[in-house]
Amino acid sequence: MQDPETNKTKSKELIEIAKFHFVHNEYRKALEFYEKALKLDPQNPQIFYNMGIAYESLNDLRNAKQCYEAALKLAPDFEQAKERLSKIIGTAETG
């Protein structure tokens, strides 16, 4: 079994590949790589957040919402995830 640091390094590499696919509008391919990264680093809220954005880009708001909620469960003060989730559920705060 690999150590956690090795997994995190591999996870970061997979995230970079996912980002490449995302910027080329290959959202499903990006999600494949985010899923692989998540298996190596399941406590990383940024992966869930990035997956949420990819799902939003596919207009899959149910899965996007679940990803943002998962990110916030791991990091309750993750402001970007809060904003995205609020946008999806239509309860964005004003002021």
Side-chain angles (χ1 to χ4, degrees), residues 9-72:
T9 300
K10 286 186 177 186
S11 175
K12 287 179 184 177
E13 292 170 3
L14 291 167
I15 291 167
E16 289 307 311
I17 296 169
K19 287 179 182 178
F20 171 85
H21 288 293
F22 183 87
V23 298
H24 289 91
N25 299 324
E26 299 169 346
Y27 306 120
R28 292 192 194 287
K29 196 74 171 168
L31 284 164
E32 287 177 33
F33 284 94
Y34 284 132
E35 289 283 351
K36 290 177 184 179
L38 196 58
K39 286 179 181 162
L40 295 172
D41 191 9
Q43 300 300 309
N44 185 335
Q46 188 68 47
I47 298 172
F48 284 108
Y49 174 74
N50 291 351
M51 289 176 66
I53 294 172
Y55 279 120
E56 262 192 272
S57 299
L58 291 168
N59 205 31
D60 183 346
L61 300 183
R62 184 180 62 83
N63 279 321
K65 179 178 180 273
Q66 289 175 346
C67 287
Y68 296 139
E69 288 171 342
L72 288 167

